[in-house]
Amino acid sequence: MTRFDAWLRPTPPPQTEPPLDAAGRRALWLEITIVLLVTFGLSGLSGILSLIEDALAPGGLADQTVALNASRSEHGWIDLGRQLLGIVRLCAWAALGLYLLWRSGLGPAKIGLGRPRARADLLPGVGLAALIGLPGLALYLVANAIGANLTVLPSTIEEHWWRLPALLLWALANSGAEEVLVVAYLISRLRRLGWSENSSLLASSLLRGSYHLYQGLGGGVGNIAMGLVLGRYWQRTNRLWPLIVAHWLIDAVAFVGYTALRGHVSWLP
């Protein structure tokens, strides 16, 4: 098998547990359903409804705006508290996925969250961020220009002393929750159910795209592509840190960069 074929058709890790019986399969499907309904699955359904609602509104999608990070109160300290609660919620989602995997024998080290290493984790993460981030920006600009995407405002948080660290924490919480749940948890669970690597990767990527549909079709398609790249990298390397690093860098640059450049460059809304 060539290197290219190995990326297209990766070999799943060997199963060390006996096959699930009918009751075990039902229990695992129930677990997956509950986890997704309280995390990104429900967000995906909400994203679909948001896209339909935006498409039915007068004018094109590009004439509408959506803020990824917005102020949550006119009182600065209440706004900070609500921002932190949102960050904690995402961290709790990631902790739920890690706990359930650990209970099934897949501790952090077995899913690629052992001690991070610069060469194995940091450098690939930077490379993945560049591979995904630059084409992703181009896709957004094209989708917005043809009316297939809303105008995305990465941050509309009022200017407070805590705005920058809050945005960086949001980026970290987003990356941790998404990569743990949507990649490591979901693909591992679907493997246990006997799904192929390609089928589980597709399911993971479609889920990632669904909860970004509130941004428009461009946001959904771009995140499906991101999911295919990141998910396959994890399947091939079993290293999750590079995915978290890449995702954090993409979000941090978008959130902080937009805040710094807004009003200073003509092509930013």
Side-chain angles (χ1 to χ4, degrees):
M1 181 180 292
T2 67
R3 184 180 296 271
F4 182 69
D5 288 337
W7 278 92
L8 289 180
R9 294 185 295 273
T11 302
Q15 284 285 352
T16 58
E17 299 176 278
L20 292 170
D21 58 16
R25 293 180 65 84
R26 285 195 300 270
L28 189 52
W29 272 120
L30 180 61
E31 178 194 292
I32 294 171
T33 301
I34 293 172
V35 169
L36 292 185
L37 282 177
V38 300
T39 60
F40 291 108
L42 197 62
S43 299
L45 296 175
S46 178
I48 294 170
L49 291 177
S50 294
L51 177 61
I52 295 172
E53 181 182 30
D54 292 334
L56 294 175
L61 291 179
D63 294 330
Q64 304 173 56
T65 61
V66 59
L68 304 187
N69 299 283
S71 293
R72 302 187 175 200
S73 173
E74 61 182 12
H75 304 287
W77 64 275
I78 295 179
D79 193 1
L80 173 60
R82 287 177 173 165
Q83 300 290 340
L84 293 177
L85 287 177
I87 291 166
V88 170
R89 182 180 65 249
L90 286 174
C91 293
W93 288 4
L96 174 62
L98 289 173
Y99 172 75
L100 291 172
L101 289 173
W102 171 73
R103 283 291 301 270
S104 67
L106 294 175
K110 290 187 177 181
I111 62 169
L113 276 180
R115 179 178 297 179
R117 303 195 301 268
R119 178 169 294 182
D121 299 314
L122 180 58
L123 294 180
V126 174
L128 286 170
L131 177 65
I132 295 168
L134 296 177
L137 176 59
L139 175 63
Y140 162 71
L141 294 174
V142 171
N144 187 257
I146 65 175
N149 215 76
L150 284 75
T151 298
V152 177
L153 308 179
S155 174
T156 58
I157 297 176
E158 297 295 330
E159 189 171 348
H160 299 291
W161 65 265
W162 48 262
R163 180 173 61 178
L164 178 59
L167 289 173
L168 293 175
L169 286 175
W170 269 116
L172 183 59
N174 282 332
S175 60
E178 290 191 44
E179 304 315 324
V180 167
L181 278 174
V182 180
V183 176
Y185 171 80
L186 183 58
I187 292 179
S188 294
R189 284 303 193 243
L190 294 178
R191 279 174 176 168
R192 187 76 179 98
L193 289 167
W195 285 39
S196 70
E197 294 296 277
N198 285 340
S199 296
S200 58
L201 174 65
L202 181 61
S204 169
S205 302
L206 289 175
L207 172 61
R208 189 190 296 262
S210 70
Y211 58 80
H212 286 93
L213 283 173
Y214 70 93
Q215 301 174 13
L217 289 175
V221 171
N223 277 277
I224 289 174
M226 177 178 176
L228 291 172
V229 173
L230 295 182
R232 181 62 94 217
Y233 186 90
W234 181 76
Q235 288 176 322
R236 287 284 295 154
T237 66
N238 198 43
R239 302 294 300 178
L240 197 63
W241 280 120
L243 278 63
I244 294 174
V245 169
H247 195 151
W248 178 79
L249 283 173
I250 292 170
D251 282 4
V253 169
F255 298 166
V256 177
Y258 178 84
T259 300
L261 294 177
R262 186 181 185 186
H264 299 285
V265 294
S266 60
W267 52 273
L268 277 179

